Amino acid sequence: MSRVFSVHVAMLYLCCIGAVHADSSTHAFVLGSIEAEAGTTASGYLEVPRGVDQATRIPVSVIHGARPGPTLALVAGTHGYEYPPITALQRLRGSLDPARLSGTILMVHVANPPSFLGRTIYTSPVDGKNLNRVYPGKPDGTISERIAHTITTQVIERADYLVDMHGGDGNEILRPYIYMPVTGNGELDAKVRGMALAFGLDHIVIDPAQLADPAASVFTDQTGLSRGIPAITTETGQMGSNDDYWVDLARDGVMNLIRHLKMIDEKEIPNQGVVWLKDYEVIRAQATGVFQASVRDGYAVAEGTLLGELLDLFGEPIMDIRAPFAGVVNYVVGTPPVSEGEPLAMISKIAE
Ligand SMILES: [Zn+2]
């Protein structure tokens, strides 16, 4: 089985390598079995063949502009319960006119189909792994690792810019924000900052992100950054909602990013009034039980403010959860169940 599988992977590699230099506007852009001529949009699947566990297929679109320009990769559905970015990309696929586009947009509509179709938060129902912790993946690993490997080699490594689009997971009440990695590489960081501002959300979390070993990048955005590709992670949505309010935040963010990258002939809308955040901390459950939040997303809290109470499964109090420092609540868990080690809330300090 593994030998057959690696032959498939080798063929995918060859296919991919053959297409790498074909992305100027006069040539078709080939992604897996999809071929988009200049000035057209094409959609299809990236096949992830069966390996140690089941196969899956990742729905993708290529919007290949009529004119040359950068390649922008947009990845939605890394966590399958985070719907607004998925819906935003579906709508953008229909509304973006490739005849007016300079460059190419690669859309990963649902990066993690097992999680999406299985309605799981955080992890895959097949292998129990978090797709955003297994990059750059492995061609012979479990399904999440094979998905990561496919996205790394076929999408991320062919991009000039990368956005990993998330939201609050199915249990998270979240104030929309962007993680803006700061790597220490000035040229890369300047591009990342431009992307973060262009996406238009008014909370930006400064994320100290030393460049990872490309072979052990762990996160989607680090997979780009460690390969010299500017990348941000966006958070729009919460609690499994697919309301237009959240979808529009994601869609409008992509549209303004496209303006910023000069991929369409429209003026970038300047982002005014950003709240810059730093030193974020994820507060984790020290015991399994029930969480009752006493704050909401976006609350400003003083050090020691009660964030919520952890109860046991009989409803008896285990401990109070308090803010470790003064800051802003980026998200807080909004449904009862928590297992030891899982996030309860994320808080950031306001940067000077
Ligand atoms: Zn997520």
Side-chain angles (χ1 to χ4, degrees), residues 79 82 166-167 169 235:
H79 296 131
E82 299 171 2
H166 292 249
D169 218 320
E235 300 278 353

Side-chain angles (χ1 to χ4, degrees), residues 10 30 45 52 54 61 68 71-72 80 97 100 111 133 161 193 197 211 217-218 222 234 252 257 314 320 326:
V30 179
Y45 292 93
V52 294
Q54 70 185 53
S61 291
T71 298
L72 168 65
D97 179 3
R100 289 182 56 219
R133 299 292 183 277
Y161 300 91
R193 182 185 170 94
L197 285 167
L211 286 178
S217 49
V218 182
Q222 266 290 349
T234 61
D252 293 350
L257 180 57
F314 304 97
D320 289 344

